Amino acid sequence: MRLKALAIDIDGTITDMDRRLCLEAAAKLRSLKIPVVIATGNTLCYSKAAARLVGVCCNIIAENGGVLVNGFDKKPFVSDVMYECEEAYTFLSSRFEIEKLDPFHRITEIVLRNNFDIEKARELLSVHYPGVEIIDTHFAIHIKSKKINKGTGLTKMAEMMGLEPSDFVAIGDSVNDLEMLQEAGFAVAVGNADAYLKDIADYVSTSKYGDGTVEAIDFLLSGGLIKVPFDKDEQ
Amino acid sequence: MRLKALAIDIDGTITDMDRRLCLEAAAKLRSLKIPVVIATGNTLCYSKAAARLVGVCCNIIAENGGVLVNGFDKKPFVSDVMYECEEAYTFLSSRFEIEKLDPFHRITEIVLRNNFDIEKARELLSVHYPGVEIIDTHFAIHIKSKKINKGTGLTKMAEMMGLEPSDFVAIGDSVNDLEMLQEAGFAVAVGNADAYLKDIADYVSTSKYGDGTVEAIDFLLSGGLIKVPFDKDEQ
């Protein structure tokens, strides 16, 4: 197996818990000879900035699969699922004191401040809005449609790039990475990942956060699973 | 003189010409014990991502001084100047084939693709819309109000932080950094900066781009102009 592309989460996977970029992980991603796809729960605007600054511009899966783009100035592919989230938000607003974060830039899901009874809200949604779910990525609380996730995003992005999802190695740390890791040809969970992510991963790094990503990429390079920079095959 | 804060441009000052973050500059900024203010022509959304990832969150001068924020979830201070830019844009649209970039996230100025006769457009604006100017930062073409710039932004940000503009060292590379460097207590132009910026700078680095920023900060630290990490004064 030789993997042809890499899809990677941002927060907790190439950043620390304060969302600061792991500089060694950025250097490692930048050195790769295969396309790197940023796959994140962040907005497209935030994701584009991250892709630019890391230097892996510009195949992006944003908003947990709701928004995709494969070029900085290209028109994004946007899933039509916001109406479901808005209905669920209106419903929850009548029962909890909830607060939207970053409402102007987010177009397919809603992110909330983590200051309400999420389990109770989940129970209510499962009865009244079964098509919508609440996920906690440790960085934000998302109200999202069950129709989309980073796995559906990866499938669509692979198609846009002329690849199969199985051509990808995917690296993540949290609940919103689960489906992406399941769809990918090779799944990596970094050391700080949730247990159920480690359970389904092909490789679990000993190191945490960005250091875990560096460790995993070194494993993939040394095992010939992804093309090394200046690969002899090209000569 | 001991400088109490640092204001710094992003593109061309802590990035390379492809807008990739200089990892050494990020590490250097992250290590400082004084507040670091991101001062950029980018949108607030892009700037917040940069501040988060660099790890200097969250005093931000965005859109060349039009948008300011001093906390990630705080309401931004927004200058009421977009109407002037829109009028000038409408006027220019009737004379040139021009194309807005990133129109959804930008709220106090307009950015255009660099594919029209800028000198001719400048001449026309100087006659018909003298309150508005066109600047070329080498990364984008901005239509902006002459009322705001990174210098007015720095003055306002200093006030928000309980400081004077003269308490700042400012680092930049381009025309839109000029007023900020003039307002600051100490002005740095990186090696790739435009000549007129170098002319008014207190320090011009030999190195270019992010390496120039690292060189300048090392100069300031070694000269005692900014507090070194783990400063003896604190013990």
Side-chain angles (χ1 to χ4, degrees):
Chain A
M1 175 172 58
R2 178 161 278 195
L3 300 156
K4 295 178 181 167
L6 183 150
I8 191 159
D9 173 49
I10 298 178
D11 294 316
T13 302
I14 59 168
T15 76
D16 63 16
M17 60 203 311
D18 293 323
R19 306 181 69 191
R20 300 193 314 176
L21 183 63
C22 171
L23 304 178
E24 295 77 13
K28 184 61 72 175
L29 291 172
R30 206 177 270 187
S31 74
L32 294 177
K33 296 281 282 183
I34 57 173
V36 173
V37 174
I38 293 288
T40 172
N42 283 297
T43 61
L44 181 60
C45 173
Y46 193 101
S47 311
K48 277 184 178 177
R52 279 280 200 208
L53 292 163
V54 172
V56 295
C57 195
C58 291
N59 295 299
I60 295 167
I61 298 168
E63 296 196 18
N64 290 311
V67 182
L68 281 75
V69 74
N70 65 343
F72 213 60
D73 289 336
K74 294 256 186 84
K75 190 173 156 61
F77 175 87
V78 179
S79 295
D80 180 22
V81 290
M82 191 56 153
Y83 67 96
E84 296 179 63
C85 304
E86 286 289 1
E87 284 175 0
Y89 172 79
T90 303
F91 171 78
L92 291 177
S93 298
S94 66
R95 283 156 180 82
F96 302 91
E97 287 282 332
I98 54 177
E99 181 188 352
K100 277 186 191 177
L101 297 178
D102 203 12
F104 302 112
H105 299 134
R106 203 164 277 276
I107 52 178
T108 65
E109 57 170 23
I110 291 169
V111 166
L112 302 176
R113 195 177 294 286
N114 188 356
N115 63 356
F116 64 103
D117 185 342
I118 294 163
E119 281 313 313
K120 183 71 189 163
R122 273 203 184 111
E123 276 176 38
L124 286 167
L125 281 195
S126 69
V127 175
H128 298 280
Y129 293 88
V132 173
E133 64 185 339
I134 295 182
I135 60 167
D136 177 0
T137 65
H138 305 310
F139 291 92
I141 306 300
H142 300 245
I143 299 179
K144 62 178 283 299
S145 166
K146 287 182 180 173
K147 285 186 207 137
I148 58 132
N149 54 57
K150 289 191 193 178
T152 64
L154 183 67
T155 301
K156 177 78 183 166
M157 177 56 74
E159 186 189 322
M160 289 161 77
M161 295 170 69
L163 297 172
E164 298 295 327
S166 60
D167 289 328
F168 279 78
V169 48
I171 309 179
D173 76 313
S174 187
V175 58
N176 60 333
D177 298 309
L178 184 65
E179 294 89 350
M180 175 170 77
L181 264 62
Q182 287 171 329
E183 290 296 323
F186 194 92
V188 172
V190 285
N192 53 300
D194 295 320
Y196 48 82
L197 216 63
K198 290 180 177 179
D199 287 346
I200 61 112
D202 298 300
Y203 181 86
V204 179
S205 69
T206 307
S207 307
K208 295 179 178 179
Y209 299 102
D211 292 339
T213 289
V214 172
E215 179 191 324
I217 293 175
D218 282 340
F219 166 82
L220 294 164
L221 288 168
S222 65
L225 290 169
I226 55 176
K227 190 189 282 190
V228 297
F230 312 111
D231 197 321
K232 278 184 292 186
D233 293 359
E234 291 186 334
Q235 292 174 356
Chain B
M1 175 170 57
R2 177 161 279 195
L3 299 156
K4 296 177 181 168
L6 184 150
I8 191 158
D9 172 50
I10 298 178
D11 293 316
T13 303
I14 60 169
T15 76
D16 63 16
M17 59 203 311
D18 292 324
R19 304 181 69 191
R20 300 192 315 174
L21 183 63
C22 171
L23 304 178
E24 295 77 13
K28 184 62 72 178
L29 291 172
R30 205 177 269 185
S31 75
L32 295 178
K33 296 282 281 184
I34 57 173
V36 174
V37 174
I38 294 288
T40 171
N42 283 297
T43 61
L44 181 60
C45 173
Y46 193 101
S47 311
K48 278 185 178 178
R52 280 280 200 209
L53 292 163
V54 172
V56 296
C57 195
C58 290
N59 295 299
I60 295 167
I61 299 168
E63 296 196 20
N64 291 310
V67 182
L68 281 77
V69 73
N70 64 344
F72 213 62
D73 289 336
K74 295 254 185 84
K75 191 172 154 59
F77 175 87
V78 180
S79 296
D80 179 24
V81 290
M82 191 55 154
Y83 66 97
E84 296 179 60
C85 304
E86 286 289 1
E87 283 174 3
Y89 172 79
T90 303
F91 170 79
L92 290 177
S93 298
S94 67
R95 282 155 179 84
F96 302 90
E97 287 282 332
I98 55 177
E99 180 189 352
K100 279 187 191 177
L101 297 178
D102 203 10
F104 302 113
H105 299 134
R106 202 165 278 276
I107 52 179
T108 65
E109 56 170 23
I110 292 169
V111 166
L112 303 176
R113 194 177 295 285
N114 188 355
N115 62 355
F116 64 103
D117 185 342
I118 293 164
E119 281 312 312
K120 182 71 190 160
R122 273 202 184 113
E123 276 176 37
L124 286 167
L125 280 196
S126 68
V127 174
H128 298 280
Y129 293 89
V132 173
E133 64 185 341
I134 295 181
I135 59 167
D136 177 0
T137 67
H138 305 309
F139 292 92
I141 306 301
H142 300 246
I143 300 179
K144 61 177 282 298
S145 167
K146 287 182 180 171
K147 287 185 205 139
I148 58 136
N149 53 59
K150 289 192 193 179
T152 64
L154 184 67
T155 301
K156 178 78 184 165
M157 177 56 74
E159 186 189 321
M160 290 161 77
M161 295 169 69
L163 297 172
E164 298 294 328
S166 59
D167 290 327
F168 279 78
V169 48
I171 309 179
D173 75 313
S174 187
V175 57
N176 59 334
D177 297 310
L178 184 65
E179 294 89 350
M180 175 170 78
L181 265 60
Q182 286 170 329
E183 290 295 324
F186 194 93
V188 172
V190 285
N192 53 300
D194 295 320
Y196 48 82
L197 216 63
K198 290 180 175 176
D199 288 345
I200 61 113
D202 298 299
Y203 182 86
V204 179
S205 69
T206 307
S207 307
K208 295 179 178 181
Y209 300 101
D211 291 339
T213 288
V214 172
E215 179 192 323
I217 293 176
D218 282 341
F219 167 81
L220 294 164
L221 289 168
S222 65
L225 290 169
I226 55 175
K227 191 189 281 190
V228 295
F230 311 112
D231 198 320
K232 278 183 291 184
D233 293 358
E234 290 187 337
Q235 292 174 355

